[in-house]
Amino acid sequence: ADCASCEVVMEETLELSLFSPSQAARVGGRCPSDNAVPTPKEDVLALQVTGTTSDAVLGCGTLTTRLDAGSLDGGDCSQCQGCYVRYQLAGQRQ
């Protein structure tokens, strides 16, 4: 295949976990390596959502960008190698 005749096709996937104040406190205010949100218990309250707002104070996740070869004119780009780029995300409510 002639990869020079192929276009770059980009697809992005965002995976995000939102933490309530008590869930964020349980993980020490830092994103766990697996972005897992602590299960609500007596001293850990679930995220509260009211209308279009929430009490989230911490957001953790990954943004994955996939770059592949694609053809706008129907050509064969199946032999052209793509790649993934992965970003770890962390943010605190200001």
Side-chain angles (χ1 to χ4, degrees):
D2 178 17
C3 295
S5 64
C6 298
E7 300 287 329
V8 174
V9 178
M10 183 174 79
E11 177 183 300
E12 290 186 320
T13 305
L14 175 64
E15 296 177 9
L16 185 64
S17 299
L18 298 175
F19 293 72
S20 71
S22 60
Q23 289 168 326
R26 174 59 58 96
V27 297
R30 297 184 155 217
C31 294
S33 59
D34 61 359
N35 297 321
V37 178
T39 304
K41 296 179 182 176
E42 293 174 10
D43 61 336
V44 178
L45 301 176
L47 185 70
Q48 301 297 307
V49 178
T50 306
T52 59
T53 63
S54 74
D55 67 344
V57 295
L58 179 65
C60 304
T62 56
L63 173 64
T64 303
T65 302
R66 187 181 91 194
L67 302 171
D68 273 325
S71 175
L72 298 177
D73 63 4
D76 181 18
C77 295
S78 60
Q79 298 300 315
C80 306
Q81 189 173 9
C83 68
Y84 287 88
V85 180
R86 199 174 184 125
Y87 303 93
Q88 290 299 120
L89 307 174
Q92 295 182 346
R93 187 177 214 151
Q94 299 296 313

